[in-house]
Amino acid sequence: MAKPDLILEDLLDLIETRINSFNERMPKVQEDAYKVILDIAGDLETSNGRIKPTLKNVKLISKIKAELNKVIFDKEYEKELDKVVKTYSDITKLQNQYFTALTGKFTVPKVLAEIQNLAIEGVVDAMGQDAIGVNVVSPIRDILVKNVTTGGSRADFIEEVREYILDTERGDGKLVKYTKQIVTDSLNQYSANYTQIVSDDLGLEWFKYVGSNKETTRPFCKALTAAKSTCMPFIHRSQLDEIVEGQICGEQVPIYDKTGLPHGMIPGTNAANFPINRGGYNCNHQLVPVSAAVVPKALRDQFKGA
């Protein structure tokens, strides 16, 4: 049996690899979707550069959804989504290996099989035509409707769609942003949910916050991962309240006024659900349990009875 740390590395690599694999092709899909918009824009009837409210233009509105769906939901998309679905069972296997290596032997709670099924059902629904239609395609159609019915400028219409659908200096295009969050959060939250259920079942008290940092990593996650080498090599369950409040190593991380939580955290995050929500949307970090035996005795003694 491999050591827990090695299994954990495999688990984190698995999740990150699958997320990256899915996300790598989406900017190209966005570009192809924009080309569809340009083709449709070229067919619009105009007068002095302004879109006319004609029957032909109205028919083009009804065409846009079907054309965008052809571009987005091709065979490659289906293949990548199938790989995402398979990853849930791969996560389960590695989680089972991790807890076996950590505790010697444990019984997998029966509820986890249903949680895996629900997670798969959720990601398939969220990445399907209906959900992407509502969150990505319909807003593009609405932009066209607005410009056709109000006689908007064709050039302005093209620019508005470009800013909506393509990656810019201000951030990802709508399709990339949507699919990236769904895949990232679904896989990470499933893994985190599994961890929390088994940790609670086994009464585990000690954890560490793991995962690699990127340019987009939030101050909270940077501070908590950095704390492993300073004041907080291990996290006791009783510390989660102050961590959620942004208190790490005696320092306060930036708080978002609207939520009262560290920037990026999901509204409503608290000590009970932090192991699942972690740093918030698009967070690739995990709070994983460790054996109390690896925690220095002096540190364990500080939390006796906590």
Side-chain angles (χ1 to χ4, degrees):
M1 174 66 68
K3 294 182 178 180
D5 283 349
L6 296 178
I7 299 171
L8 180 58
E9 287 180 13
D10 288 343
L11 176 61
L12 296 175
D13 287 345
L14 168 69
I15 295 174
E16 186 169 3
T17 298
R18 181 54 51 229
I19 292 169
N20 290 341
S21 176
F22 189 93
N23 290 337
E24 280 172 0
R25 69 178 300 272
M26 296 315 293
K28 174 63 166 55
V29 176
Q30 280 189 160
E31 292 173 4
D32 290 343
Y34 183 59
K35 291 176 183 176
V36 168
I37 304 300
L38 291 180
D39 289 342
I40 290 175
D43 291 335
L44 289 169
E45 293 181 333
T46 62
S47 176
N48 297 321
R50 306 199 73 82
I51 303 170
K52 298 167 65 177
T54 64
L55 179 60
K56 177 183 177 182
N57 287 345
V58 170
K59 287 183 176 180
L60 286 174
I61 292 174
S62 62
K63 177 182 177 182
I64 193 169
K65 183 176 181 179
E67 292 301 313
L68 288 174
N69 281 344
K70 287 179 186 177
V71 171
I72 297 171
F73 300 101
D74 60 7
K75 290 183 179 179
E76 288 303 314
Y77 183 91
E78 293 177 1
K79 287 180 182 178
E80 287 299 323
L81 186 55
D82 285 345
K83 291 177 183 177
V84 170
V85 169
K86 182 181 180 300
T87 302
Y88 290 91
S89 60
D90 294 336
I91 289 172
T92 298
K93 290 176 184 177
L94 287 171
Q95 286 278 18
N96 289 343
Q97 292 175 21
Y98 180 78
F99 280 101
T100 298
L102 194 67
T103 64
K105 184 180 180 180
F106 82 105
T107 301
V108 179
K110 293 182 179 179
V111 69
L112 286 171
E114 187 57 30
I115 287 176
Q116 178 179 313
N117 291 335
L118 289 173
I120 292 173
E121 181 180 321
V123 76
V124 170
D125 286 346
M127 299 294 280
Q129 287 192 19
D130 288 345
I132 289 184
V134 169
N135 290 282
V136 180
V137 176
S138 288
I140 298 174
R141 179 183 177 278
D142 292 343
I143 294 172
L144 180 55
V145 169
K146 177 187 68 175
N147 282 275
V148 168
T149 57
T150 62
S153 161
R154 177 159 60 187
D156 289 346
F157 161 67
I158 292 173
E159 178 60 19
E160 188 175 356
V161 173
R162 186 191 69 79
E163 291 184 357
Y164 175 84
I165 201 169
L166 295 183
D167 295 347
T168 67
E169 292 180 356
R170 290 180 294 178
D172 294 327
K174 185 64 176 181
L175 181 61
V176 166
K177 184 178 181 180
Y178 176 81
T179 56
K180 179 189 293 183
Q181 181 185 324
I182 295 299
V183 174
T184 300
D185 291 347
S186 182
L187 292 176
N188 276 293
Q189 288 181 2
Y190 170 66
S191 182
N193 202 346
Y194 185 109
T195 296
Q196 184 183 43
I197 289 172
V198 177
S199 297
D200 289 349
D201 191 57
L202 296 175
L204 300 175
E205 297 287 333
W206 290 96
F207 303 84
K208 58 183 178 181
Y209 198 64
V210 298
S212 59
N213 291 334
K214 303 176 181 178
E215 290 184 6
T216 55
T217 297
R218 301 176 178 108
F220 170 83
C221 289
K222 287 181 178 178
L224 195 52
T225 52
K228 292 200 301 290
S229 58
T230 55
C231 75
M232 203 179 289
F234 299 98
I235 298 169
H236 188 264
R237 187 181 292 274
S238 64
Q239 293 177 286
L240 295 183
D241 280 312
E242 63 185 64
I243 286 174
V244 170
E245 293 172 356
Q247 290 286 336
I248 299 173
C249 293
E251 300 289 332
Q252 178 68 58
V253 301
I255 296 294
Y256 184 43
D257 290 340
K258 289 185 177 180
T259 63
L261 296 166
H263 278 278
M265 272 195 182
I266 298 170
T269 297
N270 53 41
N273 59 32
F274 171 72
I276 297 175
N277 291 348
R278 299 154 293 109
Y281 298 115
N282 282 313
C283 179
N284 278 311
H285 295 90
Q286 294 280 322
L287 184 72
V288 298
V290 298
S291 169
V294 305
V295 180
K297 183 177 183 302
L299 182 57
R300 296 201 308 269
D301 290 343
Q302 293 179 31
F303 291 89
K304 279 186 175 180

